[in-house]
């Protein structure tokens, strides 16, 4: 097994534990406000714990909703709320599936170009042969991960 595949499988195994998080949605007023309210903590009390002015808590809550809050700020706020801030990526399907879809696109493009030439030379492959060649090309692309795999979306 090649090194890149092993690394991909290890990451995939780690990410597998996070798949249930795909269905978690952000509370309408954001996590900071939701946790603060659930703890019965006012913005003034959180500001005191953070060592900032109360207006800063309002700004943090606004920035969280707009997506402009920094990870550093969220970590600090989480600590003051006795929480752990978690930030990461959870693949929609699997890394392997994403990789195979991209390899399929590239392989299909390459095969279409080759098929045109072969058709012009009266050497076209049958549908079954085409599918077999395409499958082999996808497998090879996934195994070798050429540098141009992601050049086109």
């Amino acid at each position: 097994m090649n090194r890149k595949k092993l690394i991909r499988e290890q990451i995939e195994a780690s990410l597998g534990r996070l798949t249930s998080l795909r269905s978690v949605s952000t509370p309408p007023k954001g996590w900071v406000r939701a946790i603060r309210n659930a703890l019965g903590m006012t913005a003034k009390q959180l500001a005191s714990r953070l060592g900032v002015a109360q207006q800063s808590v309002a700004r943090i809550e606004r920035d969280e909703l707009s997506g402009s809050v920094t990870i550093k700020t969220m970590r600090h706020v989480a600590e003051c709320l006795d929480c752990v801030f978690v930030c990461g990526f959870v693949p929609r399907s699997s890394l392997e599936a994403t990789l195979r879809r991209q390899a399929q696109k590239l392989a299909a493009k390459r095969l279409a170009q080759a098929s045109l030439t072969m058709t012009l030379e009266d050497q076209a492959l049958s549908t079954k042969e085409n599918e077999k060649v395409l499958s082999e090309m996808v497998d090879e692309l996934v195994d070798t991960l050429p540098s141009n795999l992601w050049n086109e979306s």
Side-chain angles (χ1 to χ4, degrees):
M1 180 182 306
N2 70 37
R3 185 174 173 271
K4 289 179 181 180
K5 185 174 183 177
L6 179 62
I7 291 169
R8 190 169 57 250
E9 287 176 355
Q10 289 172 339
I11 291 172
E12 193 91 60
S14 293
L15 293 173
R17 296 187 298 263
L18 305 176
T19 56
S20 63
L21 295 177
R22 279 193 295 247
S23 61
V24 174
S25 57
T26 303
K29 294 186 179 181
W31 287 107
V32 174
R33 192 164 186 185
I35 299 295
R36 180 175 62 75
N37 287 341
L39 293 172
M41 187 184 296
T42 65
K44 183 177 181 178
Q45 291 166 332
L46 178 57
S48 175
R49 294 172 71 97
L50 289 168
V52 298
Q54 183 176 344
Q55 296 88 335
S56 294
V57 171
R59 182 187 45 76
I60 290 168
E61 291 177 350
R62 223 178 17 257
D63 289 350
E64 179 192 359
L65 290 174
S66 71
S68 61
V69 70
T70 67
I71 292 173
K72 181 179 178 182
T73 297
M74 290 298 282
R75 283 186 179 140
H76 185 53
V77 171
E79 283 298 316
C80 291
L81 294 171
D82 194 28
C83 292
V84 175
F85 177 71
V86 179
C87 181
F89 295 95
V90 180
R92 287 186 179 93
S93 56
S94 69
L95 297 178
E96 186 72 20
T98 300
L99 180 58
R100 291 193 80 75
R101 273 192 306 275
Q102 185 64 22
Q104 176 83 23
K105 288 179 190 177
L106 182 58
K109 183 178 178 182
R110 288 180 179 177
L111 186 57
Q113 291 167 343
S115 292
L116 178 62
T117 304
M118 291 175 73
T119 300
L120 292 173
E121 296 173 358
D122 201 26
Q123 298 174 357
L125 298 175
S126 69
T127 303
K128 190 172 185 173
E129 290 170 323
N130 243 359
E131 289 172 2
K132 184 176 189 255
V133 170
L134 183 64
S135 176
E136 289 170 355
M137 289 174 73
V138 169
D139 289 342
E140 183 178 342
L141 289 168
V142 168
D143 288 343
T144 61
L145 295 178
S147 61
N148 65 341
L149 179 63
W150 293 97
N151 285 357
E152 297 176 25
S153 47

